[in-house]
Amino acid sequence: MNINRNIAWTYFIASKKMTMVAILGVVIGVSIFMFMNSMAAGFDRTSGESFFKTTPHIRVYKDDKISQPLKEESNSKTLIVNPKVVPSINTIDNPMDWVKLIRKQKEVTVVFPQVSCPVFYNNGKSQITGTTIGFDPVEADKMFRISTFTVQGSIADLSTHQDGIIIGSGIAEKMNLLTGDKINMTSSKGINLTLTVVGIFKTNNSKEDKTKSYVNLATGQQFLKENNAYVTDINVNIDNPDRAPQVAKELTNLTGYKAEDWIAANETYMAASRIRKIVIMFISFTLLIVSSFGIYNILNMTVSQKINDIAILKAMGFNGGDVIRIFVYQALTIGALGVILGVLLALILVQALQHVYIGGDIGYFPIRFEPWVFVRGIFIGLFITFLAGYVPAKKAAKVDPVSIFRK
Amino acid sequence: MILQVENIEKKFYDPIEFKVLNGISFGIERGEFVTLVGKSGCGKSTLLYILSTMDTEYSGRLVIDGEDVVGYDQNRLSAIRNEKIGFVFQFHYLLTDFTCLKNIMIPALRLGKLSEEEIEFRAMEKLRMLGLEDQALKPASKLSGGQQQRVAIARALINDPLIIMGDEPTGNLDSKNTQIVFDILQELAHVNKQTIIAVTHDNDFARASDRTIEMMDGRII
Ligand SMILES: Nc1ncnc2c1ncn2[C@@H]1O[C@H](COP(=O)(O)OP(=O)(O)OP(=O)(O)O)[C@@H](O)[C@H]1O
Ligand SMILES: [Mg+2]
């Protein structure tokens, strides 16, 4: 073993109790850091997953236009106008051409057109208000993975039944419907249709489950009293949802329609999630930094206790770098042990919490082993350990042996 | 000439300005056994710290083994100390967390020229020479002052340094052990051609050495 490491190891063993405390500090700091950040990542993942059950990464649609005052001429009188939404049909012209074009863009994985229409589900005398979405079931399943949360029937049956409908579990419960039953609906345009329930889905988002239903594109267009070229939205999914804002911008430029990414569409939620992330970051970093105080403390103590040793070592030809290495090795030994045990503790915590049932929209606690969080924890833990050791080590390296020998 | 100093001057400023060394010049040949004597407080230790390259705050010239080391950075001086100089201090001897054997081995391990087994073998030899072989694996803190001092001497010899400096290297020893150490040092000087500079208050020890340099109030007389 290298002599510097050898000396470091001797000092490491010589002060067992304080070393233990320092290791424990790192264990707690590192494990809580990893645990909290895994939790944050878990929250993000589940909320992302539940978003993408109903929201595309990017939605392309025709935005409402606000009327502008007529062009003023310099010498004309001021005109008072009431700006208001220009009445126009919210359809995308030649939607299939756009779909084809968007599908050719790189990063784009799934593209399909849809219509959405406010409807009443007629339940005897009472009515449930809701929305029905019309689309191509095969494409839609690729995007929303509807088949993963259909509890009865299947999305494939929608393709084979032109008059089929898939309803949310909340609607099914209220209206006491099973697959195969008939459901009568009236749209906002006054169209009344009776459809056959071919499936029931449950997203765990109770608002969705109580109001939403899926039909074929043609049925949707029928509800809206429109022809088969009428499309309100084009849904787009891409490889990496985090890139949605950039891709949305490109699509806006490409099509001239409004392309809204999911992050912009859920601004309030995203802001709350950002705040949560910042708080978790702040707390976990603080813990990690505080946990390194133990190392700083023990090293400071070793340096002042062993000042005579340092002087002798320097007299025998150890240079400043050797002295720094001795104490940084000692710190890193403590840090490495703390990080290893911290990783184990974090794994145990994650494992334990995975089996805690929360219920509601979430189900089991949304946490799992996040390799990147652990890698980051290991590196940050070791880095902070290094700093906590380096500061006292630097002080030790500056010891002037002669001034010690004169005492 | 293995060691040469010219016009060394050193001042202390605390509590008042005070010239400890005032124009010290001498040269020492290879293989010479030189003792340095003088009244307590005349500046012997101060001079030895300068000769050992640990103290760099002085004026004058210091040439070790043909190298003018004035102005060398700390790392180069460390390397010179490690390889060419063995030092026995006045009161501070050993690293107390290590065994005697390890204490002796440390400078050689730092130098890294020999394998650990060879170093250990050599260290045992030195211990035997100083009559301490049965103390090899004892922690240094469990030894008497005289034993510690002998271990420190063994450690100063481990790298076969060109120059061995001692600040009262026999200060804690009885007459029998003083004689043993003296004989060892003399043999190192005359047979191995290593150079010895030792501060001493022991007149017999000084008289028996090759040359005695006497100091008074920061000067050589
Ligand atoms: N750090 C210091 N600051 C101020 N004066 C000092 C300092 N160190 C030593 N001195 C003074 O310098 C002078 C020489 O000290 P030095 O230790 O070299 O004496 P010495 O000859 O080795 O004495 P001894 O035989 O007792 O060991 C003394 O008068 C001492 O008081
Ligand atoms: Mg002295």
Side-chain angles (χ1 to χ4, degrees), chain A residues 41-97:
Chain A
F43 281 146
D44 267 3
R45 186 192 318 279
T46 40
S47 59
E49 269 166 14
S50 68
F51 268 140
F52 299 140
K53 279 178 187 172
T54 51
T55 319
H57 296 166
I58 299 165
R59 185 168 82 98
V60 181
Y61 62 98
K62 185 168 179 178
D63 207 3
D64 292 327
K65 279 213 174 63
I66 305 290
S67 60
Q68 297 293 322
L70 295 169
K71 256 244 163 76
E72 292 168 32
E73 281 172 36
S74 50
N75 54 359
S76 70
K77 285 179 192 160
T78 316
L79 206 64
I80 299 170
V81 289
N82 264 338
K84 60 177 181 181
V85 172
V86 178
S88 72
I89 323 164
N90 283 333
T91 182
I92 292 173
D93 301 319
N94 305 322
M96 290 328 285
D97 294 345

Side-chain angles (χ1 to χ4, degrees), chain A residues 1 3 6-7 10-11 14 306 308-309 312-319 322 401-402 404-407, chain B residues 10 12 46 49 54-55 75 78 81-82 89 92-95 97-98 102 106-107 109-110 116 155:
Chain A
M1 193 171 13
I3 182 61
N6 194 322
I7 295 170
T10 307
Y11 290 162
K306 303 295 174 196
N308 195 42
D309 285 20
I312 293 174
L313 288 169
K314 290 189 95 176
M316 293 188 307
F318 285 67
N319 58 36
D322 291 320
V402 176
I404 305 297
F405 293 140
R406 282 217 181 91
K407 274 178 195 145
Chain B
K10 178 167 177 79
F12 284 121
T46 307
Y49 290 137
M54 278 190 280
D55 190 350
N75 284 349
S78 293
R81 283 203 292 278
N82 191 218
F89 313 103
H92 305 260
Y93 310 121
L94 304 175
L95 305 182
D97 290 312
F98 298 82
K102 194 81 189 198
I106 284 174
L109 292 169
R110 170 65 185 79
E116 201 168 332
R155 185 181 58 197

Side-chain angles (χ1 to χ4, degrees), chain B residues 113-129:
Chain B
K113 281 209 174 130
L114 299 174
S115 74
E116 201 168 332
E117 290 74 36
E118 284 169 299
I119 291 169
E120 191 174 325
F121 180 79
R122 287 173 51 91
M124 278 309 290
E125 247 179 10
K126 306 284 178 212
L127 274 173
R128 209 168 297 123
M129 204 160 77

Side-chain angles (χ1 to χ4, degrees), chain A residues 5-290:
Chain A
R5 231 171 294 166
N6 194 322
I7 295 170
W9 182 248
T10 307
Y11 290 162
F12 172 84
I13 295 176
S15 46
K16 280 194 197 72
K17 249 189 215 152
M18 282 197 77
T19 301
M20 247 26 154
V21 173
I23 292 176
L24 194 65
V26 179
V27 171
I28 292 172
V30 166
S31 61
I32 299 295
F33 176 90
M34 289 173 172
F35 172 70
M36 287 185 82
N37 284 287
S38 295
M39 199 158 72
F43 281 146
D44 267 3
R45 186 192 318 279
T46 40
S47 59
E49 269 166 14
S50 68
F51 268 140
F52 299 140
K53 279 178 187 172
T54 51
T55 319
H57 296 166
I58 299 165
R59 185 168 82 98
V60 181
Y61 62 98
K62 185 168 179 178
D63 207 3
D64 292 327
K65 279 213 174 63
I66 305 290
S67 60
Q68 297 293 322
L70 295 169
K71 256 244 163 76
E72 292 168 32
E73 281 172 36
S74 50
N75 54 359
S76 70
K77 285 179 192 160
T78 316
L79 206 64
I80 299 170
V81 289
N82 264 338
K84 60 177 181 181
V85 172
V86 178
S88 72
I89 323 164
N90 283 333
T91 182
I92 292 173
D93 301 319
N94 305 322
M96 290 328 285
D97 294 345
W98 289 121
V99 167
K100 268 186 211 136
L101 185 65
I102 293 170
R103 198 169 276 147
K104 278 194 202 118
Q105 302 303 305
K106 60 176 188 312
E107 296 187 58
V108 170
T109 53
V110 187
V111 186
F112 65 86
Q114 75 169 31
V115 293
S116 68
C117 177
V119 289
F120 296 111
Y121 305 101
N122 301 321
N123 184 18
K125 281 223 165 95
S126 72
Q127 284 180 320
I128 301 170
T129 49
T131 313
T132 195
I133 311 284
F135 50 43
D136 172 3
V138 178
E139 291 292 323
D141 191 31
K142 275 190 215 156
M143 180 174 290
F144 299 135
R145 313 210 166 281
I146 298 167
S147 48
T148 62
F149 54 90
T150 43
V151 291
Q152 253 191 55
S154 83
I155 181 86
D157 291 348
L158 195 57
S159 311
T160 51
H161 293 71
Q162 263 315 304
D163 66 339
I165 182 168
I166 296 184
I167 57 175
S169 60
I171 305 167
E173 240 163 71
K174 257 196 201 159
M175 298 177 61
N176 201 13
L177 291 170
L178 296 172
T179 46
D181 294 346
K182 298 279 180 206
I183 181 168
N184 184 268
M185 290 156 68
T186 312
S187 78
S188 57
K189 291 276 163 78
I191 304 293
N192 190 295
L193 291 174
T194 299
L195 302 172
T196 312
V197 178
V198 296
I200 296 170
F201 68 84
K202 188 168 180 359
T203 59
N204 280 332
N205 176 337
S206 54
K207 190 180 154 245
E208 295 283 333
D209 294 344
K210 278 178 190 158
T211 58
K212 205 160 228 178
S213 62
Y214 298 127
V215 295
N216 283 299
L217 185 58
T219 316
Q221 285 158 342
Q222 217 175 324
F223 271 130
L224 286 168
K225 245 173 154 172
E226 294 288 350
N227 63 14
N228 63 2
Y230 184 89
V231 159
T232 51
D233 307 293
I234 296 174
N235 291 339
V236 182
N237 259 22
I238 55 177
D239 291 324
N240 175 6
D242 295 335
R243 293 246 323 132
Q246 290 90 312
V247 178
K249 212 172 280 166
E250 287 163 25
L251 292 184
T252 305
N253 292 340
L254 181 74
T255 60
Y257 291 107
K258 167 116 180 148
E260 189 181 49
D261 60 86
W262 65 283
I263 294 170
N266 297 285
E267 220 158 347
T268 323
Y269 176 83
M270 295 310 287
S273 136
R274 262 199 299 279
I275 289 172
R276 193 176 60 204
K277 252 193 231 168
I278 290 169
V279 169
I280 286 180
M281 271 292 239
F282 181 76
I283 293 175
S284 60
F285 258 104
T286 309
L287 266 168
L288 207 51
I289 288 168
V290 170

Side-chain angles (χ1 to χ4, degrees), chain A residues 406, chain B residues 12 14 18 20 40-46 90 168 201:
Chain A
R406 282 217 181 91
Chain B
F12 284 121
D14 195 31
F18 161 54
V20 230
S40 178
C42 71
K44 304 183 295 295
S45 295
T46 307
Q90 194 167 7
E168 299 188 40
H201 284 151

